[in-house]
Amino acid sequence: MDKLLIRGGRPLRGEIRISGAKNAALPELCAALLTAEPMTLQNIPRLQDVATMLKLIRNMGATADFSPDGTVLIDSKELHFPEAPYEMVKTMRAAVLALGPLLARFGEATVSLPGGCAIGARPVDQHIKGLQKMGAEIVIEHGYMIAKLPKGWTRLKGANIRTDMITVTGTENFMMAAALAEGETILENAAMEPEITDLGDMLNAMGAKVEGHGTERIRITGVDKLHGATHKVVADRIECGTFLCAVAATGGDVILRDGRIDHLEVVVEMLKKAGAHVEAVDGGIRVHSEGRLEAQSFKTTEYPGFPTDMQAQFMVLNVISEGDSKVTETIFENRFMHVSELMRMGAKIDVDGKVAITHGVERLSGATVMATDLRASASLVIAGLVADGETIVDRIYHLDRGYEQMEGKLTQLGADIERIK
Ligand code: EPU
């Protein structure tokens, strides 16, 4: 298993490019299955999760070619196996995003239930209930969701769907299913993340009629057929936010090309309050900081609030900043796995349920650490970049799932970091 060896203490300086968003690319690869015509997706990040999704799509009988410039061509004309097997879903929950498009285009889909997850229970009950409202018949058998249309139906039917909580992939599944359904679908309490807006734009480029994506009420008027299109995946706001924190923590000066401040407003505000400088520059974001920052309290909420996917990385900033902070995680039940590892590096943190209180220390000391999810692993890399001495981050397959070339980009910025096989 690969590890990262980091020798801390170097400020990050220079320029890197932010990759396409993992959490936009994954639903969009599934949305490509809504048409029999060829689809071109640009700016797809080279990640383990993307590789798993491509494997899943090919396993269904479609072709998917990934060229070195980040373009994926998908042709699902010959798709004959509308199924997402357990072996693939267990390594990547986002495979549940195949359910809506397969059901909408083929009238049937079999998708494994995802099972447990390191950061929380993460059920998919809302996905099932919403698709049932559109007429789908879904049974759970042998760990699989087996979905089909009622006898005599050729399409799903538009419906009014209000989920019990805001769900990102749930909203995406409904948008994709509704694009080919008969009549109008209204999604209330919809997720508003930039990845949702990007998916809506892609569906419209394919001939769908989606309005209000990016707000809490999305209206989709179903069409008979979607056509091929070309779409460029939006920049990854979480990768961008992760680098913002890394630069602020190390006291560096970096330009993040293609980074979008408008997708990270709350995080940027918080960084500025802490004392870092963040500004929009032509085609990207410049971040620089010097000296010790001030710890900031925050609570994770759905977009446009503070992203749960940035909680661990910002917490590292807090533990080395001046003062105490209160970090509240409201989206997932178990997303403080980085805390005990950070404490092994000298951080002072008290956790009580959903709340972590950090007490700033002047320095962290390098140690061997590991995490069991993607963003927690990213936070440990940032901690390694600021810690004294050597840090080994173990189990970095989590990082490879969601960050394109993380150590390559950090090396480009002057970090002393290497992958040990
Ligand atoms: N929930 C349910 N039932 C459902 C769906 C969701 O109870 O049917 C609960 C979840 O358990 C959670 C909350 O609702 O407590 C919100 O979950 P959501 O459905 O929004 O999460 P998701 O769609 O599974 C996406 C991202 C996550 C990100 C969350 C929250 C993708 C592929 N994944 O997950 O990304 O943390 O939204 O913003 O888009 C990551 O990239 O590291 C990551 C975990």
Side-chain angles (χ1 to χ4, degrees), residues 22-24 26-27 49 92-97 117 119-128 163 165-172 191 193 195 237-238 301-303 307-309 330-333 335 373-375 401-403:
K22 166 179 86 81
N23 289 348
L26 296 175
D49 274 6
M92 187 192 59
R93 309 178 49 83
V96 73
L97 287 162
C117 172
I119 60 179
R122 301 182 78 182
V124 287
D125 56 310
Q126 302 295 315
H127 298 238
I128 296 174
T163 43
M165 79 287 293
I166 299 175
T167 156
V168 176
T169 48
T171 302
E172 291 163 347
E193 272 68 2
E195 293 76 25
R237 67 195 161 95
I238 305 301
T301 53
E302 297 83 3
Y303 191 83
T308 171
D309 290 344
T330 74
I331 307 291
F332 292 112
E333 315 87 86
R335 217 175 191 183
D373 92 279
L374 169 60
R375 309 302 172 186
R401 286 187 47 200
Y403 287 91

